Amino acid sequence: MTCGIYALYWEHPDLVYVGQSINIEARFAAHKGCLKRGDHANWKVSDAYNNYGLPEFIILEECVVSDLFSGEIRWVSEFDNVLNIQEAGVPVGTGVKNPNSKHS
């Protein structure tokens, strides 16, 4: 169980989603399941999956829980084509609890 910052990455055309989790391995499995079922809450990630297939799952940084938000902010700023639908480091909620979700 790894706590830290992760990415879903599509090499072509260089798209990335940056996330944080206290259990990255379980979060990867959840992303993969949602993508395959067609019910991923992030419409940008869903579009990338529909166009380019499953992303590469990358652990960007391991950290303690208290550093998750600052780490997410730092990593989002490292990439150009970020697929996140909410501002990095802001605790909004996931799935239907996220007002930016396609399910909201």
Side-chain angles (χ1 to χ4, degrees):
M1 182 166 74
T2 306
C3 179
I5 312 303
Y6 66 89
L8 308 180
Y9 180 69
W10 289 266
E11 184 175 358
H12 301 288
D14 193 29
L15 298 173
V16 66
Y17 168 86
V18 176
Q20 57 165 289
S21 180
I22 60 170
N23 185 341
I24 292 176
E25 294 80 6
R27 189 67 187 113
F28 282 165
H31 276 295
K32 185 177 178 180
C34 288
L35 289 168
K36 287 185 172 188
R37 285 190 310 272
D39 64 359
H40 198 283
N42 182 318
W43 63 272
K44 291 181 179 181
V45 170
S46 290
D47 284 352
Y49 169 74
N50 291 335
N51 289 317
Y52 308 109
L54 278 174
E56 183 177 348
F57 298 103
I58 303 167
I59 296 175
L60 298 171
E61 170 185 337
E62 292 184 34
C63 65
V64 296
V65 173
S66 61
D67 291 338
L68 286 172
F69 289 113
S70 61
E72 184 181 36
I73 291 167
R74 186 174 59 259
W75 278 102
V76 163
S77 70
E78 290 291 318
F79 298 101
D80 293 325
N81 297 317
V82 177
L83 301 177
N84 294 56
I85 57 174
Q86 71 184 43
E87 186 178 343
V90 177
V92 177
T94 59
V96 296
K97 296 178 184 173
N98 180 337
N100 298 316
S101 166
K102 71 177 182 180
H103 301 296
S104 296

